Short mmCIF file of all heavy atoms in Angstrom, two decimals:
data_model
loop_
_atom_site.label_atom_id
_atom_site.label_comp_id
_atom_site.label_asym_id
_atom_site.label_seq_id
_atom_site.Cartn_x
_atom_site.Cartn_y
_atom_site.Cartn_z
N ARG A 1 71.53 140.69 -73.33
CA ARG A 1 72.24 139.41 -73.20
C ARG A 1 71.91 138.58 -74.43
O ARG A 1 70.74 138.46 -74.81
CB ARG A 1 71.82 138.71 -71.92
CG ARG A 1 72.64 137.46 -71.59
CD ARG A 1 72.36 137.04 -70.16
NE ARG A 1 73.00 135.78 -69.82
CZ ARG A 1 73.56 135.54 -68.65
NH1 ARG A 1 73.58 136.48 -67.73
NH2 ARG A 1 74.11 134.37 -68.38
N VAL A 2 72.94 138.01 -75.07
CA VAL A 2 72.72 137.26 -76.31
C VAL A 2 73.35 135.88 -76.22
O VAL A 2 74.29 135.65 -75.46
CB VAL A 2 73.31 138.01 -77.53
CG1 VAL A 2 72.51 139.25 -77.85
CG2 VAL A 2 74.78 138.35 -77.32
N LYS A 3 72.76 134.95 -77.02
CA LYS A 3 73.36 133.61 -77.16
C LYS A 3 73.82 133.51 -78.60
O LYS A 3 73.02 133.66 -79.52
CB LYS A 3 72.36 132.51 -76.82
CG LYS A 3 72.97 131.12 -76.89
CD LYS A 3 72.11 130.07 -76.20
CE LYS A 3 70.90 129.69 -77.01
NZ LYS A 3 70.18 128.54 -76.46
N ILE A 4 75.11 133.27 -78.78
CA ILE A 4 75.71 133.28 -80.11
C ILE A 4 76.16 131.88 -80.49
O ILE A 4 76.83 131.19 -79.72
CB ILE A 4 76.89 134.26 -80.17
CG1 ILE A 4 76.36 135.70 -80.05
CG2 ILE A 4 77.69 134.10 -81.46
CD1 ILE A 4 77.39 136.71 -79.66
N THR A 5 75.74 131.45 -81.69
CA THR A 5 76.24 130.21 -82.27
C THR A 5 77.11 130.63 -83.45
O THR A 5 76.64 131.33 -84.35
CB THR A 5 75.08 129.32 -82.78
OG1 THR A 5 74.10 129.20 -81.73
CG2 THR A 5 75.57 127.94 -83.17
N GLY A 6 78.38 130.24 -83.42
CA GLY A 6 79.26 130.72 -84.48
C GLY A 6 80.56 129.94 -84.57
O GLY A 6 80.77 128.93 -83.88
N ILE A 7 81.45 130.44 -85.44
CA ILE A 7 82.72 129.77 -85.70
C ILE A 7 83.87 130.71 -85.32
O ILE A 7 83.98 131.80 -85.89
CB ILE A 7 82.85 129.41 -87.20
CG1 ILE A 7 81.61 128.61 -87.67
CG2 ILE A 7 84.12 128.63 -87.47
CD1 ILE A 7 81.49 128.51 -89.18
N PRO A 8 84.71 130.33 -84.35
CA PRO A 8 85.89 131.15 -84.04
C PRO A 8 86.85 131.17 -85.23
O PRO A 8 87.15 130.12 -85.81
CB PRO A 8 86.52 130.45 -82.83
CG PRO A 8 85.42 129.62 -82.25
CD PRO A 8 84.59 129.19 -83.42
N ILE A 9 87.30 132.37 -85.59
CA ILE A 9 88.22 132.52 -86.73
C ILE A 9 89.42 133.34 -86.27
O ILE A 9 89.32 134.10 -85.31
CB ILE A 9 87.52 133.21 -87.92
CG1 ILE A 9 86.87 134.51 -87.45
CG2 ILE A 9 86.53 132.31 -88.59
CD1 ILE A 9 86.25 135.34 -88.53
N LYS A 10 90.53 133.18 -86.97
CA LYS A 10 91.72 133.95 -86.59
C LYS A 10 91.91 135.10 -87.58
O LYS A 10 91.70 134.94 -88.79
CB LYS A 10 92.95 133.05 -86.51
CG LYS A 10 93.37 132.39 -87.81
CD LYS A 10 94.58 131.50 -87.56
CE LYS A 10 95.22 131.01 -88.85
NZ LYS A 10 94.40 130.08 -89.59
N VAL A 11 92.31 136.25 -87.03
CA VAL A 11 92.58 137.43 -87.86
C VAL A 11 93.97 137.92 -87.50
O VAL A 11 94.26 138.21 -86.34
CB VAL A 11 91.53 138.55 -87.60
CG1 VAL A 11 91.86 139.78 -88.43
CG2 VAL A 11 90.14 138.05 -87.91
N LYS A 12 94.86 138.01 -88.53
CA LYS A 12 96.24 138.41 -88.27
C LYS A 12 96.31 139.90 -88.00
O LYS A 12 95.80 140.72 -88.75
CB LYS A 12 97.13 138.04 -89.45
CG LYS A 12 98.62 138.14 -89.13
CD LYS A 12 99.48 137.51 -90.20
CE LYS A 12 100.95 137.52 -89.77
NZ LYS A 12 101.83 136.91 -90.75
N LYS A 13 96.95 140.25 -86.88
CA LYS A 13 97.09 141.65 -86.50
C LYS A 13 98.53 142.14 -86.66
O LYS A 13 98.78 143.30 -86.92
CB LYS A 13 96.64 141.85 -85.04
CG LYS A 13 95.14 141.81 -84.85
CD LYS A 13 94.51 143.03 -85.48
CE LYS A 13 92.99 142.99 -85.33
NZ LYS A 13 92.36 144.15 -85.95
N SER A 14 99.47 141.23 -86.48
CA SER A 14 100.88 141.61 -86.57
C SER A 14 101.43 141.26 -87.96
O SER A 14 101.26 140.15 -88.45
CB SER A 14 101.69 140.88 -85.49
OG SER A 14 103.07 141.08 -85.69
N LYS A 15 102.09 142.24 -88.59
CA LYS A 15 102.69 142.00 -89.91
C LYS A 15 104.00 141.23 -89.79
O LYS A 15 104.41 140.53 -90.71
CB LYS A 15 102.93 143.33 -90.62
CG LYS A 15 101.64 144.02 -91.04
CD LYS A 15 101.92 145.33 -91.76
CE LYS A 15 100.62 146.00 -92.17
NZ LYS A 15 100.86 147.32 -92.82
N LYS A 16 104.65 141.36 -88.64
CA LYS A 16 105.97 140.74 -88.46
C LYS A 16 105.90 139.34 -87.86
O LYS A 16 106.71 138.48 -88.17
CB LYS A 16 106.83 141.63 -87.55
CG LYS A 16 107.14 143.01 -88.18
CD LYS A 16 107.98 143.85 -87.23
CE LYS A 16 108.28 145.22 -87.84
NZ LYS A 16 109.06 146.07 -86.91
N LEU A 17 104.92 139.13 -86.96
CA LEU A 17 104.87 137.85 -86.24
C LEU A 17 103.61 137.06 -86.62
O LEU A 17 102.56 137.65 -86.90
CB LEU A 17 104.87 138.11 -84.73
CG LEU A 17 106.10 138.84 -84.17
CD1 LEU A 17 105.85 139.25 -82.73
CD2 LEU A 17 107.34 137.96 -84.26
N PRO A 18 103.70 135.71 -86.58
CA PRO A 18 102.52 134.89 -86.89
C PRO A 18 101.58 134.79 -85.68
O PRO A 18 101.32 133.70 -85.15
CB PRO A 18 103.13 133.53 -87.25
CG PRO A 18 104.39 133.48 -86.43
CD PRO A 18 104.89 134.89 -86.34
N ILE A 19 101.11 135.95 -85.21
CA ILE A 19 100.23 136.01 -84.04
C ILE A 19 98.88 136.56 -84.50
O ILE A 19 98.81 137.52 -85.28
CB ILE A 19 100.83 136.89 -82.93
CG1 ILE A 19 102.14 136.26 -82.43
CG2 ILE A 19 99.86 137.06 -81.78
CD1 ILE A 19 102.91 137.11 -81.46
N TYR A 20 97.80 135.96 -83.97
CA TYR A 20 96.45 136.30 -84.44
C TYR A 20 95.53 136.69 -83.29
O TYR A 20 95.76 136.30 -82.14
CB TYR A 20 95.84 135.09 -85.17
CG TYR A 20 96.67 134.60 -86.34
CD1 TYR A 20 97.73 133.71 -86.14
CD2 TYR A 20 96.38 134.99 -87.63
CE1 TYR A 20 98.50 133.25 -87.20
CE2 TYR A 20 97.14 134.54 -88.71
CZ TYR A 20 98.19 133.67 -88.48
OH TYR A 20 98.94 133.22 -89.53
N ASP A 21 94.48 137.43 -83.63
CA ASP A 21 93.36 137.66 -82.71
C ASP A 21 92.27 136.66 -83.07
O ASP A 21 92.11 136.31 -84.25
CB ASP A 21 92.82 139.08 -82.85
CG ASP A 21 93.69 140.10 -82.14
OD1 ASP A 21 94.54 139.68 -81.33
OD2 ASP A 21 93.54 141.31 -82.40
N ILE A 22 91.51 136.24 -82.07
CA ILE A 22 90.38 135.34 -82.34
C ILE A 22 89.08 136.14 -82.28
O ILE A 22 88.82 136.85 -81.31
CB ILE A 22 90.32 134.16 -81.33
CG1 ILE A 22 91.57 133.29 -81.47
CG2 ILE A 22 89.07 133.32 -81.57
CD1 ILE A 22 91.62 132.11 -80.50
N HIS A 23 88.30 136.06 -83.34
CA HIS A 23 86.96 136.65 -83.38
C HIS A 23 85.98 135.52 -83.68
O HIS A 23 86.38 134.38 -83.95
CB HIS A 23 86.87 137.73 -84.46
CG HIS A 23 87.88 138.84 -84.27
ND1 HIS A 23 88.16 139.38 -83.04
CD2 HIS A 23 88.67 139.50 -85.17
CE1 HIS A 23 89.08 140.33 -83.17
NE2 HIS A 23 89.41 140.41 -84.45
N VAL A 24 84.69 135.84 -83.66
CA VAL A 24 83.68 134.82 -83.94
C VAL A 24 82.80 135.28 -85.10
O VAL A 24 82.26 136.39 -85.09
CB VAL A 24 82.80 134.53 -82.69
CG1 VAL A 24 81.64 133.61 -83.05
CG2 VAL A 24 83.65 133.88 -81.59
N LYS A 25 82.68 134.41 -86.07
CA LYS A 25 81.76 134.66 -87.20
C LYS A 25 80.44 134.00 -86.81
O LYS A 25 80.35 132.77 -86.75
CB LYS A 25 82.34 134.04 -88.47
CG LYS A 25 81.52 134.33 -89.71
CD LYS A 25 82.17 133.67 -90.92
CE LYS A 25 81.33 133.83 -92.16
NZ LYS A 25 81.92 133.14 -93.32
N ALA A 26 79.45 134.81 -86.50
CA ALA A 26 78.18 134.28 -85.97
C ALA A 26 77.32 133.70 -87.07
O ALA A 26 77.17 134.29 -88.14
CB ALA A 26 77.43 135.37 -85.23
N LEU A 27 76.74 132.55 -86.80
CA LEU A 27 75.75 131.95 -87.70
C LEU A 27 74.36 132.27 -87.20
O LEU A 27 73.40 132.30 -87.97
CB LEU A 27 75.95 130.44 -87.77
CG LEU A 27 77.33 129.97 -88.27
CD1 LEU A 27 77.46 128.47 -88.14
CD2 LEU A 27 77.57 130.41 -89.71
N HIS A 28 74.26 132.50 -85.88
CA HIS A 28 72.96 132.83 -85.29
C HIS A 28 73.19 133.62 -84.01
O HIS A 28 74.11 133.32 -83.25
CB HIS A 28 72.17 131.56 -84.97
CG HIS A 28 70.77 131.83 -84.46
ND1 HIS A 28 69.78 132.33 -85.26
CD2 HIS A 28 70.23 131.67 -83.23
CE1 HIS A 28 68.67 132.47 -84.55
NE2 HIS A 28 68.92 132.08 -83.31
N CYS A 29 72.40 134.65 -83.80
CA CYS A 29 72.50 135.46 -82.57
C CYS A 29 71.09 135.65 -82.01
O CYS A 29 70.24 136.26 -82.66
CB CYS A 29 73.15 136.81 -82.87
SG CYS A 29 73.33 137.85 -81.41
N GLU A 30 70.87 135.10 -80.85
CA GLU A 30 69.54 135.15 -80.22
C GLU A 30 69.59 136.07 -79.01
O GLU A 30 70.44 135.92 -78.13
CB GLU A 30 69.14 133.74 -79.80
CG GLU A 30 67.80 133.65 -79.10
CD GLU A 30 67.51 132.26 -78.56
OE1 GLU A 30 68.29 131.31 -78.84
OE2 GLU A 30 66.51 132.11 -77.84
#
């Protein structure tokens, strides 16, 4: 079990549509 402090970022998955997946860029993981 982890506690994550980070920034949600969007990553484009579709080449045709402006739709994104949300991932988290972690600054700290405890």
Side-chain angles (χ1 to χ4, degrees):
R1 188 167 174 141
V2 290
K3 183 164 75 171
I4 291 162
T5 310
I7 307 166
I9 52 175
K10 63 182 191 292
V11 178
K12 193 168 185 179
K13 285 292 178 181
S14 172
K15 290 180 180 178
K16 296 179 181 178
L17 299 169
I19 296 173
Y20 303 84
D21 281 346
I22 296 179
H23 303 318
V24 172
K25 184 180 175 183
L27 301 173
H28 185 69
C29 181
E30 179 187 353

